[in-house]
Amino acid sequence: MARFEVIAPVAERWDRLPRAVRAVALLALLVLLVILPHLKIPVLNTPDSDFATVLFYPVGIYVLVALGLNVVVGEAGLLDLGYVAFFAVGGYSMGLLGNRVHWPFFLILPVGIALSMLAGVILGGPTLRLRGDYLAIVTLGFGEIVHLVARNTDSIGGPRGVSPIPHPPNFNLFGYHVRFGILDPKPYYYLLLAMIVLTIVVVSNLKRSRVGRAWTAIREDEDAAELMGVPTFRFKLWAFAIGAGIGGAAGVMYTSKVISISPDNFIFQLSILFLAAVVLGGSGNIPGVILGAAVVAYLPERFRSFAQYRIMVFGAALVVMMIFRPQGLLPSRRRAKELLEPEPGGGMGTLGGETGVEMAPRPEAESAP
Amino acid sequence: MPPSPGPRLLELRAVTMQFGGVTALGEVDLHVDQGEIAGLIGPNGAGKTTVFNVVTGVFHPTAGEIEFDGKSIVGKKRYQVTQAGVARTFQNIRLFPDMTALENVMVGADAHHGTSVPGAMLRLPRHRSEERHGRARAAELLELMGIPHRAEETARNLPYGDQRRVEIARALATDPKLLLLDEPAAGFNPREKRSLSDLIRKVRDSGYTILLIEHDMGLVMNICDRISVLDFGRKIAEGVPAEIQADERVINAYLGVVADA
Amino acid sequence: MPDGAQPGQSGASPLLELDNVQVHYGKVEALKGISFNVNEGEIVTLIGANGAGKTTTLKTISGVRPLTRGHIRFQGQDIGAVPPHRRVEMGISQAPEGRGIFPGMTVRENLDMGAYARRGKARAGLAEELAAVYVLFPRLQERASQMAGTLSGGEQQMLAIGRALMSKPKVLLLDEPSMGLAPKLVAQIFSIITEINKQGTTVLLVEQNAAQALQRASRAYVLEVGKVVMAGPAADLLDNQAVRAAYLGGDIAGDDGNGATSGHSGSGGSGGSGGS
Ligand SMILES: Nc1ncnc2c1ncn2[C@@H]1O[C@H](COP(=O)(O)OP(=O)(O)OP(=O)(O)O)[C@@H](O)[C@H]1O
Ligand SMILES: Nc1ncnc2c1ncn2[C@@H]1O[C@H](COP(=O)(O)OP(=O)(O)OP(=O)(O)O)[C@@H](O)[C@H]1O
Ligand SMILES: [Mg+2]
Ligand SMILES: [Mg+2]
């Protein structure tokens, strides 16, 4: 209420701006992002690593991953605790197809995305009929399974992982020679930036379509959605697949730069950090999620000394956030309301006499005389 | 309004629905003809809402046959029943609370839209035209319900009565052949009930068929062409309003004192 | 005939008193400074159209909705800052509109939740209360071990009322108790309300069935878009032309040629076949 009114005017004012003004503002932002790795801003600088490198990983990668996870968690309302699995599928696609079959990066990227989506469908198919807590536990298990399989399958490198992994090929763009090497992180950054922009366009298009409406409807009242003609299972599966595909894309890009990967690059803790990014930033709101991911990824690099404690610090930060701003830094207006007004206006919410889960009455225990 | 029986639209034959030891419906026969306003009444817990639930696929009947528009719909998925042309409202309002009134109705309109996920990603022409159609249709229906000014309001902020109106609009947006209304007048005052009766008639006259559950006898007797009465899961009477009002069993089981009817 | 024709200024301070209460939903001002009081032993009814603020008023009294300005006094004490559960312990109990039962608990467990605030000595009469609720609603006894979420709408309504009674409140807030009940039960529910009132419970009643409510109540307040626009003995309001036109819709026997709703004379005229 009061807490969320602070942010609502900002979003509303943005909506009210003329189209042209918004376009110019977005363009300016994009230009800023393009020159960002060239800037040396003292307050922003990261002490132990090159700023441009940090912009690619962890910041950029986290942003892309969070955008994907947001489709699952923020849009469709499905809690996924094993999202790192899709990041891993993308990573291993890049690693194995690059190292063993020597496919070029620009072929592996779509293949990696497709394989991740397939993994999403394989996980979602049997589990998306579960709801809430059950789904969370199953996804958590899936994340662990993928990690363990990678660790214990010698044919894909076992605990040592895969190396070396080729870089994307160099090419000429408008006369510039683009070189993907270890020395210069900028080309990777630009590639990632392009991917992020594309993802934002695709996801926001979905949001403003019958698909996005279906996701919101499912999140808010799955039974009613189904009864209004929404094939809920199909749309949940799509959310899973799209989220997985984006996570997989992030995995491919990350791996294309790092030369070697091992199962320990894809641990459970990452799932939690990704989720923290989404929730912290504002589940369901694209700018919020981006901000959340950037914060979660950047702060430990900026304050290297606390990197060791970062999980603890995030834990504490999350607790503080949930107390003072449960809807996230830049919340979606809708999600903010769902959180802050748990009690609906006119008696919505109870199962009612209509769609109650089939429950047989227990035999009368205490038969009152 | 004299009933002019059209072809059979919905037919339940010997439908039984059991929950553990509770028989919510026991071999119920029921039908609705095209173009009529059929009423379904009975005491609390008689099985009225359960009829809606077995028709819309929320529950699969323990036994019996349900035909809609000449085809069996037993075992169909809920969204398939909706797409086949049955829409409903809920006794305990079930709007999407944080979508606007307009968006709620657009979800209904989407039932017959076919834009694929890739189509929506890329904003292909089909997406654009369907989106335009859905928005226009939703606005039109809110207008029909008399609440165009509520379009941009969040559903949960609407007063109870307007929430019910949005529910009816959302159901109509799925373009149903049969509209199931579960106590649409609950929470309305007598004056609002009258405008609701007018509205239901108007909806019927614009080509829909309606099956109505309602406890307000003034409203039921006034607008229904034909009424069926359930008690403890069994059909105890069926007929035109005048017959039902005079029926001994209905008075005993449901209406209570005659003067109160 | 209505039992409480007493005017309501029975010397002592009122049991419940609202003083210039304002309530906001975000920027929307739902209650624009309303004042009224309920004396011990009375049935007071609030009537008004959809969106007038009746539910909001009850929620503010029970404490689930915070007030922006004004005072709520219960037995002379300002309870504006008292949390809802404490208010239940003090003796304010609400049967919410839309029922708000616990769907995953059995009927019996729901009823027990109603008595949650009763501790120590107050638990003494519990068995009797439960028995009394079962007498009022035999269906609840039959279904004591059924999940409340699977009850029919009307059965849930019975449960919501029964649960509120289990707390044995000093003042009972009822939000449209007749909603969703079959005609036979509607008549019954109003006699039940009169009955509990006779046994010493003060009742604040919100009803769309204004005719019935006004016949049962001693006093009434009319709300319009967040303001009290009329107040007085229920019997007087029942006779008031404006009230009848706006809220009774000619639903009560007698001449209703005043055209409460425009453009529909058909059903209005045939009052004999329809209402009351
Ligand atoms: N899942 C279930 N398990 C056990 N009993 C159930 C279940 N679902 C419904 N019932 C029971 O079946 C009966 C019929 O319920 P239904 O909701 O159809 O009643 P109704 O006629 O709509 O009543 P109302 O007018 O009160 O809404 C009720 O007694 C209800 O308690
Ligand atoms: N959660 C909410 N957020 C915003 N506005 C709300 C909310 N709940 C109610 N309102 C607004 O407050 C006003 C009063 O609503 P309230 O529910 O108290 O009315 P009511 O008199 O009980 O109506 P009804 O007869 O329909 O139940 C309405 O204009 C409504 O739109
Ligand atoms: Mg029902
Ligand atoms: Mg209300």
Side-chain angles (χ1 to χ4, degrees), chain C residues 30 38 48-50 69 82 104 120 137 146 169 175 204 221 243 261 270 272:
Chain C
V38 181
N50 278 159
R69 199 166 299 140
V82 175
F137 304 113
Q146 184 174 334
D175 200 349
L204 179 56
Y221 293 89
V243 170
T261 40
S270 62

Side-chain angles (χ1 to χ4, degrees), chain B residues 32 49-50 63 72 92 97 118 125 135-136 155 164 179 182 194 197 203 205 209 233 236 247 255 258:
Chain B
V32 180
T49 300
T50 306
S72 169
N92 292 358
R135 187 169 293 274
R164 292 214 171 270
L179 177 63
D182 199 345
R194 270 205 228 157
S197 318
V203 168
D205 293 344
T209 304
I236 59 166
D247 190 301
L255 298 174
V258 196

Side-chain angles (χ1 to χ4, degrees), chain B residues 53-170:
Chain B
N53 282 337
V54 294
V55 170
T56 53
V58 171
F59 296 138
H60 298 307
T62 320
E65 182 52 44
I66 305 173
E67 266 179 24
F68 176 70
D69 215 9
K71 288 187 222 58
S72 169
I73 51 168
V74 175
K76 278 226 162 80
K77 295 225 166 58
R78 301 168 194 190
Y79 71 90
Q80 292 169 329
V81 176
T82 308
Q83 289 173 353
V86 183
R88 68 179 290 177
T89 64
F90 299 88
Q91 187 170 359
N92 292 358
I93 296 172
R94 298 283 291 265
L95 289 171
F96 307 116
D98 290 296
M99 291 174 122
T100 64
L102 190 80
E103 286 169 329
N104 263 281
V105 183
M106 284 178 77
V107 171
D110 283 337
H112 292 287
H113 287 169
T115 303
S116 63
V117 173
M121 272 183 192
L122 304 172
R123 305 188 80 71
L124 298 181
R126 172 157 192 195
H127 159 83
R128 287 158 186 274
S129 81
E130 284 188 348
E131 203 68 6
R132 221 176 305 119
H133 163 266
R135 187 169 293 274
R137 180 79 184 125
E140 196 180 298
L141 286 168
L142 288 177
E143 178 95 48
L144 177 73
M145 302 316 295
I147 46 170
H149 56 288
R150 296 292 197 185
E152 295 307 324
E153 279 185 54
T154 307
R156 71 156 18 112
N157 297 355
L158 296 176
Y160 210 89
D162 286 349
Q163 292 188 9
R164 292 214 171 270
R165 291 183 176 92
V166 176
E167 264 214 332
I168 299 176
R170 184 180 64 175

Side-chain angles (χ1 to χ4, degrees), chain A residues 287-341:
Chain A
V289 165
I290 293 174
L291 179 67
V295 166
V296 165
Y298 170 77
L299 285 185
E301 301 295 329
R302 174 70 184 82
F303 305 102
R304 199 74 215 183
S305 44
F306 92 65
Q308 278 173 284
Y309 303 105
R310 68 172 176 185
I311 291 295
M312 209 178 85
V313 173
F314 281 132
L318 271 181
V319 170
V320 172
M321 278 286 295
M322 288 306 110
I323 293 170
F324 292 106
R325 209 175 161 75
Q327 66 276 37
L329 294 170
L330 283 180
S332 126
R333 267 166 282 167
R334 202 194 306 281
R335 292 300 301 245
K337 287 206 178 170
E338 284 170 18
L339 276 166
L340 293 177
E341 300 256 338

Side-chain angles (χ1 to χ4, degrees), chain B residues 193-221:
Chain B
K193 278 176 184 168
R194 270 205 228 157
S195 76
L196 183 76
S197 318
D198 293 345
L199 189 73
I200 294 175
R201 274 216 200 82
K202 197 158 97 185
V203 168
R204 189 268 301 273
D205 293 344
S206 55
Y208 298 92
T209 304
I210 292 165
L211 177 58
L212 169 78
I213 296 177
E214 188 45 68
H215 285 304
D216 185 281
M217 285 308 102
L219 192 142
V220 169
M221 297 300 167

